[in-house]
Amino acid sequence: MSVRILTAKQVPALYVGRAHWEHKFRNEGLWPRFFELSRHSDRYSELMDERYPQFQFVAVDDADRVIGVAHSVPVSAPIAMESLPMAGWDWAVQNSLTNSNHNMLCGLSVTVRAAYQGRGLGSLFVRQLISASASQGFTRLIVPARPVLKQNRPLCPMHLYLSWKRSDGLHHDPWIRTHQRLGGKIVGVCDCSMTMTGRLEEWRKVTGEALDTTGKHIVAGCLVPIEVDVEVDFARYIEPNVWIAY
């Protein structure tokens, strides 16, 4: 199977829109359903598509079927990598639309459809992001990466999780390892990368959990526990990610 990676600007009919893929990936079980409670994603997805179609990518097979999607935006980021914002993903989305002096490209997500996983398409997308960043004259590609196995250790602090390495020196998490193999460096933790909030009924709908007591709750798919307050009918999830820089 041959694979081509094209931009939304080149094939708008195939790309459709970020909101389209968010909905589809949640339904296919590729994204957690609670991602729909991301106010930043809900507010800015359409604007990202309108302003930056050249930085949204689709992978298509021989029959022009979309088998994967990657999203990115240009940002105005600090030169010192240790100063990258704790707000990670949410910061990148808002920054890209409120600043014009962009100096880096920020990768937001890479998603490969289930039937095509394990074939190196994730790496292919990251290489495309690296190339796109360089071709635009940006100084770096940065990524608030979501470690795929962190959900299995929701009580483990991210900084401790990052210390878990294999005998070859690479990280035990396969997505972090993919970035390392392509030249990415772990430069920090963005503890408040994505914030999702909602009424308890909204959270019950997307998690299938009762959430009937105030306190912290471990929920499938969440990298850390969510915070529930029954008295005010509110829950909040603040997801940590890992800053990777190229």
Side-chain angles (χ1 to χ4, degrees):
M1 178 186 70
S2 63
V3 176
R4 293 174 296 146
I5 294 185
L6 305 167
T7 68
K9 188 173 183 178
Q10 292 172 308
V11 287
L14 287 178
Y15 174 68
V16 186
R18 178 179 169 81
H20 167 82
W21 292 109
E22 286 182 347
H23 179 74
K24 186 172 287 292
F25 291 153
R26 288 195 299 267
N27 285 342
E28 293 179 8
L30 298 173
W31 286 15
R33 287 194 63 199
F34 57 76
F35 272 16
E36 70 182 68
L37 299 181
S38 168
R39 309 307 178 188
H40 272 66
S41 181
D42 183 59
R43 179 178 180 183
Y44 295 121
S45 284
E46 187 174 341
L47 284 173
M48 284 190 286
D49 288 340
E50 291 176 358
R51 294 194 192 180
Y52 307 120
Q54 71 273 34
F55 297 126
Q56 317 311 318
F57 302 93
V58 293
V60 299
D61 65 8
D62 300 323
D64 281 345
R65 290 182 293 248
V66 175
I67 60 177
V69 180
H71 301 286
S72 62
V73 289
V75 295
S76 178
I79 299 300
M81 292 294 93
E82 63 270 19
S83 298
L84 285 173
M86 297 287 280
W89 197 96
D90 286 350
W91 163 82
V93 170
Q94 187 167 357
N95 177 280
S96 72
L97 298 168
T98 56
N99 289 275
S100 57
N101 188 27
H102 300 137
N103 62 341
M104 301 183 194
L105 186 65
C106 184
L108 298 176
S109 64
V110 170
T111 309
V112 177
R113 304 184 88 165
Y116 301 91
Q117 292 179 2
R119 306 187 190 188
L121 293 181
S123 295
L124 194 63
F125 268 127
V126 175
R127 290 191 181 97
Q128 182 65 46
L129 294 175
I130 295 170
S131 176
S133 177
S135 69
Q136 293 294 318
F138 295 138
T139 59
R140 287 182 181 272
L141 167 68
I142 55 176
V143 180
R146 186 178 201 263
V148 297
L149 297 183
K150 176 65 173 69
Q151 62 182 314
N152 299 331
R153 297 290 186 271
L155 298 180
C156 178
M158 185 66 85
H159 71 273
L160 178 58
Y161 183 79
L162 288 179
S163 70
W164 298 352
K165 298 179 182 180
R166 308 191 314 176
S167 59
D168 60 4
L170 296 178
H171 199 267
H172 98 110
D173 191 277
W175 187 229
I176 301 299
R177 198 161 61 240
T178 292
H179 283 291
Q180 291 177 319
R181 284 173 171 158
L182 294 173
K185 306 294 184 184
I186 297 173
V187 295
V189 174
C190 34
D191 279 319
C192 312
S193 189
M194 297 182 75
T195 297
M196 286 154 251
T197 60
R199 299 180 63 181
L200 295 185
E201 188 56 38
E202 293 179 285
W203 278 100
R204 288 167 182 143
K205 178 181 176 182
V206 299
T207 66
E209 300 287 343
L211 305 177
D212 53 3
T213 59
T214 294
K216 294 185 177 181
H217 291 248
I218 294 175
V219 172
C222 290
L223 306 193
V224 295
I226 70 171
E227 302 167 10
V228 173
D229 190 324
V230 173
E231 289 187 7
V232 296
D233 188 27
F234 181 81
R236 178 177 63 177
Y237 170 58
I238 302 176
E239 176 167 296
N241 289 157
V242 180
W243 274 122
I244 305 286
Y246 288 84

